[in-house]
Amino acid sequence: MVTRSDHCPRRAARVQGGEGIVHIKDLTDQEGLYGHGKMFSHIVVNPGCSIGYHDHQHETEFYYILRGEAVFNDDGTEVPVHPGDICATGFGQHHALENRGKEPVELIALIVTE
């Protein structure tokens, strides 16, 4: 199966109470994840914007950083992240991501369920 990029749903939203608007392109839906996940998306976080601090119960969320530099809040500890880094949060942990730089941050987000 091939899904063309121009057929992927796009949305702009304030995410988990974060600052500003985050741009999301859904790469597939829950059906496309065969019941093993609930999100697989390409996300752009512009300068000054963020994904707010939130938790994950009975699931794990992964961020794969494609472009730019951000600050990842890893259950209360801030960690700078760069292209190629992978961030994982699950089993009652909390996380957030903030773009404090001057360039957009692009990442792939995947939520895998139990």
Side-chain angles (χ1 to χ4, degrees), residues 13-22 45-53 71 96-99:
R14 177 174 247 160
V15 178
Q16 300 289 345
E19 294 295 322
I21 299 298
V22 173
V45 182
N46 285 318
C49 296
S50 65
I51 297 169
Y53 194 67
V71 176
L97 184 126
E98 182 180 357
N99 183 349

Side-chain angles (χ1 to χ4, degrees), residues 19 27 35 47-48 51 79 105:
E19 294 295 322
L27 304 175
I51 297 169
V79 180
V105 172

Side-chain angles (χ1 to χ4, degrees), residues 35-46:
H36 298 288
K38 62 184 213 184
M39 180 175 160
F40 181 45
S41 301
H42 177 262
I43 297 176
V44 178
V45 182
N46 285 318

Side-chain angles (χ1 to χ4, degrees), residues 10-67:
R10 290 173 166 77
R11 54 197 160 99
R14 177 174 247 160
V15 178
Q16 300 289 345
E19 294 295 322
I21 299 298
V22 173
H23 300 276
I24 302 164
K25 178 169 71 171
D26 294 317
L27 304 175
T28 194
D29 56 16
Q30 287 182 326
E31 184 179 326
L33 292 168
Y34 300 100
H36 298 288
K38 62 184 213 184
M39 180 175 160
F40 181 45
S41 301
H42 177 262
I43 297 176
V44 178
V45 182
N46 285 318
C49 296
S50 65
I51 297 169
Y53 194 67
H54 63 283
D55 71 329
H56 287 276
Q57 302 290 331
H58 309 290
E59 63 189 21
T60 301
E61 183 168 21
F62 298 92
Y63 292 161
Y64 177 67
I65 309 300
L66 298 170
R67 186 177 129 206

